[in-house]
Amino acid sequence: MYTLTSTPIPEEVTGPTLEPVTLIEAKDHLNLSQNDGTHDDILTQYIAASRQQLETDINYALLVRTMRVKLPEIASVRFPMGPLISITSVTYFDANNAQQTLSTSLYSADTATSCMRLIGDTFPSVYDRWDAVTINYTIGKATTAAAVPALYKSAVLLLVGYYFENRDMLQNDLIYRADAYERICRLLHRSTYP
């Protein structure tokens, strides 16, 4: 019952407040004039999409955010994306369906493997429901864009370029390719990337 399990897809409670690259950096990368605001909205969207795609491809949160996952029982958990910074709280519905907070003496945050590990052999009984346990936790590499390593920023910029150059979905010999992005992802390889 209390073995290490995979979690359902987590919910983002508080997302990043910034992106790893700025609009100015994206325009520089694409050789666009800083005074030309024609593409600002779509570039801003591509920056966010590129960061999200990179995080998914390498299974790694570039920027700090708060996540939440719900489970049917108290269990050790491997979070689907790292790096884990801390576990903020673990709450559960007890046998009487009243919400309680799990004592921090019963679990620990294993930041090296992005896991919550249970401590001991005896745990409170939980009410029979799919969301009996709620774990709030914080993940991410950086709190500022400047703290994001250059290799990650380069991958985001390459993907912004790919999205921008292929925005009309035309297929031709001159299409902007994502080979350099793919090479960076392989370099930053995580188990979920092909």
Side-chain angles (χ1 to χ4, degrees):
M1 174 176 171
Y2 304 109
T3 59
L4 191 65
T5 65
S6 293
T7 62
I9 295 173
E11 165 193 2
E12 189 174 79
V13 179
T14 306
T17 57
L18 50 90
E19 293 298 337
V21 298
T22 65
L23 186 58
I24 292 170
E25 291 170 318
K27 284 182 171 184
D28 282 346
H29 177 73
L30 296 168
N31 293 319
L32 297 174
S33 168
Q34 295 300 328
N35 299 326
D36 180 3
T38 308
H39 304 290
D40 286 3
D41 290 342
I42 196 70
L43 285 175
T44 300
Q45 180 181 337
Y46 289 160
I47 290 168
S50 297
R51 187 240 329 140
Q52 292 168 4
Q53 183 64 54
L54 177 62
E55 289 176 332
T56 299
D57 287 345
I58 65 173
N59 202 31
Y60 191 83
L62 299 182
L63 299 163
V64 172
R65 83 257 347 238
T66 304
M67 306 296 288
R68 174 180 296 142
V69 68
K70 296 182 184 242
L71 303 168
E73 63 184 354
I74 296 172
S76 292
V77 176
R78 181 178 307 281
F79 299 111
M81 184 179 286
L84 177 66
I85 297 171
S86 65
I87 297 171
T88 311
S89 67
V90 179
T91 59
Y92 66 96
F93 288 94
D94 67 15
N96 296 319
N97 203 24
Q99 194 169 39
Q100 305 289 337
T101 300
L102 188 66
S103 170
T104 56
S105 65
L106 295 177
Y107 65 88
S108 67
D110 182 349
T111 56
T113 60
S114 293
C115 295
M116 180 184 92
R117 299 193 185 275
L118 295 179
I119 300 170
D121 297 324
T122 306
F123 304 97
S125 297
V126 297
Y127 198 78
D128 186 17
R129 51 189 284 175
W130 71 270
D131 62 349
V133 178
T134 300
I135 303 169
N136 289 304
Y137 59 101
T138 305
I139 60 172
K141 171 71 176 165
T143 56
T144 66
V148 175
L151 190 59
Y152 296 92
K153 287 183 173 208
S154 294
V156 170
L157 287 171
L158 287 167
L159 205 49
V160 167
Y162 176 80
Y163 289 151
F164 185 75
E165 294 299 328
N166 292 292
R167 64 192 177 280
D168 58 7
M169 302 298 286
L170 292 176
Q171 296 294 318
N172 61 51
D173 293 338
L174 300 175
I175 198 161
Y176 188 95
R177 297 177 50 120
D179 294 345
Y181 171 79
E182 301 273 340
R183 283 193 297 276
I184 290 175
C185 284
R186 281 193 293 277
L187 183 63
L188 300 171
H189 184 292
R190 299 293 186 266
S191 61
T192 58
Y193 193 76

